[in-house]
Amino acid sequence: MIREQLKRRITQAIQVAQVAGDLPPFDVPAFTVDHPRQAQLGDYSASVAMQLARPAHMPPAQIAERIADRLALDGMAAVDTAGAYLNFRLSPQYLTDQVDRILAAGAAWGNIDIGAGKSVQVEHGSANPTGPLTVASGRNVVIGDTLANALSAAGYTVQREWYVNDAGNQIRHFGESVYARYAQALGVDEPFPEDGYQGDYINDIAKAVIDKDGDRYLKMPRADARRALGKLGIDSIMDGVRASLARVGIHHDNFFSERSLYESGRFERVLPLLRDKGLLVEYDGALWFSEDGSPIRNSEGRGEKPENAVKKNEAVQVVVIRSPKVIAEPSERPTYFASDIAYVWDKLVERHFDRAIYVWGEDHQGDVPRLMAVTRALGLDTSRIVLLIYRFITLMRNGQEVRMGKRSGNIITLDDVVDEVGADATRFVLLSRSIDTKIVFDLDLVKKQSDENPVYYVQYAHARISSILRKAREESGDNKAGAARQSQSTGAGYQFAHPSELALIRKLLELEEVVEQVATQLQPHHFTTYAQSLATTFSAFYRDCRVLGEAPEVSAARMKLVQATRATLARTLALMGMSAPERM
RNA sequence: GCCCCAAUGGCGCAGUGGAUAGCGCGUUUGGUUGCGGACCAAAAGGUCGGGAGUUCGAAUCUCUCUUGGGGCACCA
């Protein structure tokens, strides 16, 4: 990357200056190379001279001069000092050469190697398998998928995983709900459970079972039937979830069953690690994880927290792992947190990912400290897990907030939204803001404004370039002589000079920096900002510079430039999981 | 009460300790005998929530206050 190259050259210049006696000896500190806010100042700038004033005992401006004198830039850029700043302007020749570099990279343009093959798991989605994929979960999967794309482009080996919460109370209620609808559909007077799932899809599941298996589940013990129907229901729902995900271009490498943590005995194998450290505490008939091994105090039943778990500042996490009060069937599962323990062990130790990223909604924010605590207690480096907390979306319809709940059956599915506004616009909306910012998803507004969605502006630029390239092909068909002239010229002798040409190349080069930014900050919205900015820069070029019908070497060079632009737009859209249409 | 997140033009949001804080929408005024007008240009609009601190330098880091969102169950 250009920034890294400049950094290296600056460091070398400082060291050369030190050897030559222009600068006193000192260790070169970490410094950054940035884009100046004012474009007229240059393409890149470094304020390292400011940092060096103290160790060098010299005025910053003088340090900057001496670094500039020793810089070996090999025609890459011109350097200028402005006070303590070193300002770099990439040379037209260097920028011209970059177009060829982009075209040579092809579909791999934008890839960088900061990941160095390290393995990362991105776990996203993981919504309860008790109902269809909601638009609320849509934000989760779009964030996770885009991050996975970015990490992959950044050189990491990435696995995309969905954690299927197929154990626990909610699943039991779900199984009871399916059973009730099933029995009712067969004419049996079966009461619907109080905590049951109200959605119509439960009826659909029940009917499908009847079509396939008739009434055989009525003939087995009720508890067995409920469990079996629950399992069938989960399978059916997960099939639907996969189909919904596919519509927005999302595919997971693995669907990991929570239940499997118990069926495989993994949970029972991990527990002794905590027991041996004295971190498992018995209290009130239940088993607890206590971060410092302290006994549970003052826990008086449901609803009351253990006293020593209250102060998070004191960093003592106390969480129940297994209790007869949690679930009637201890074989099914202890608690959610118990699963977390086995699951993080599975990720980091059994499957030895270098890093595990969890994409969690803000309702799970309180779970962060306890997962950190137990990871530490297992003797694992907590920096290997990253808990990303994103804010929820607020759904508006008819000017009113839509409250959603899977249990009430009042849900807006991701499919509903995709039907209304399309997959690309849906992804763009869900991606367009920092994960720390809530998104107000106004269905009426987005539908009405879907034509004005920024994604179309970006795709329009891509379609427009495609149109130019089509036209060029048509013309070469119509005019053999012109085609011969055009094809002979590769634009090799042409050096880009128009400000709009150079600005466009600079913008193309930013893609690598944006990939780095998304992959290190784990903030996918940078892609949307970049995509719009790239489209805007292209529009300015399009306004100022004709591609077709200019002198052959100019046309040829600009053809290459727009091809590189198209490649960059297409890659950016691909990283965001969106299509790059040839026509609109 | 405790913990996490946020507060930036009218609205919605970007912003990597660095120079004159940007983008979209909206508003106002303009632009095409040009490769796609789903376009483009210009203008107006800012004490970056208040206060203190760290630093050569703070929208950015620390503390504090205010306001808003979320979380604090033997639920998931």
Side-chain angles (χ1 to χ4, degrees), chain A residues 316-551:
Chain A
V316 178
Q317 294 292 316
V318 177
V319 195
V320 70
I321 291 177
R322 180 156 55 192
S323 163
K325 292 183 192 170
V326 178
I327 193 160
E329 300 274 347
S331 63
E332 286 190 345
R333 193 194 55 171
T335 65
Y336 185 78
F337 179 64
S339 303
D340 282 351
I341 297 172
Y343 191 32
V344 72
W345 179 264
D346 186 80
K347 287 173 190 250
L348 297 186
V349 179
E350 310 228 351
R351 289 189 279 168
H352 46 78
F353 289 108
D354 293 315
R355 204 150 60 120
I357 296 174
Y358 295 71
V359 182
W360 280 356
E362 59 182 332
D363 56 337
H364 282 77
Q365 163 247 113
D367 298 345
V368 173
R370 70 187 202 187
L371 183 56
M372 286 295 190
V374 82
T375 302
R376 207 178 298 117
L378 288 168
L380 303 171
D381 178 359
T382 52
S383 72
R384 291 174 62 197
I385 59 174
V386 181
L387 287 350
L388 286 184
I389 305 294
Y390 65 91
R391 290 202 53 179
F392 284 143
I393 73 172
T394 306
L395 209 56
M396 306 283 286
R397 172 163 267 166
N398 302 325
Q400 282 199 324
E401 185 177 343
V402 182
R403 306 293 305 185
M404 294 197 293
K406 274 190 184 166
R407 205 159 277 190
S408 64
N410 181 24
I411 52 179
I412 307 285
T413 64
L414 187 59
D415 283 340
D416 292 338
V417 176
V418 171
D419 287 342
E420 284 194 29
V421 304
D424 290 337
T426 301
R427 276 193 79 131
F428 203 92
V429 169
L430 294 175
L431 211 51
S432 59
R433 302 220 166 102
S434 154
I435 65 170
D436 299 318
T437 300
K438 74 164 188 211
I439 292 178
V440 178
F441 204 126
D442 188 322
L443 287 164
D444 304 309
L445 202 65
V446 173
K447 192 175 179 180
K448 199 178 73 182
Q449 293 188 339
S450 61
D451 297 343
E452 301 163 28
N453 191 298
V455 70
Y456 297 117
Y457 178 67
V458 177
Q459 290 177 325
Y460 180 70
H462 185 272
R464 205 181 218 179
I465 293 171
S466 301
S467 167
I468 293 173
L469 299 178
R470 266 197 309 274
K471 188 145 188 163
R473 278 196 301 273
E474 286 163 15
E475 282 181 5
S476 65
D478 293 347
N479 181 349
K480 294 290 180 201
R485 221 172 40 238
Q486 197 108 339
S487 64
Q488 270 169 17
S489 177
T490 61
Y494 183 78
Q495 189 183 75
F496 291 110
H498 192 286
S500 296
E501 292 173 332
L502 299 178
L504 180 55
I505 301 169
R506 289 189 192 99
K507 187 56 73 176
L508 301 181
L509 294 173
E510 277 180 34
L511 176 62
E512 292 179 319
E513 295 170 14
V514 176
V515 170
E516 180 188 22
Q517 205 176 8
V518 173
T520 54
Q521 296 179 14
L522 302 177
Q523 284 279 15
H525 71 279
H526 293 306
F527 282 136
T528 64
T529 310
Y530 173 67
Q532 289 178 84
S533 164
L534 173 57
T536 299
T537 308
F538 168 71
S539 291
F541 163 83
Y542 179 83
R543 179 194 65 223
D544 296 335
C545 303
R546 281 192 65 87
V547 177
L548 304 177
E550 297 288 316

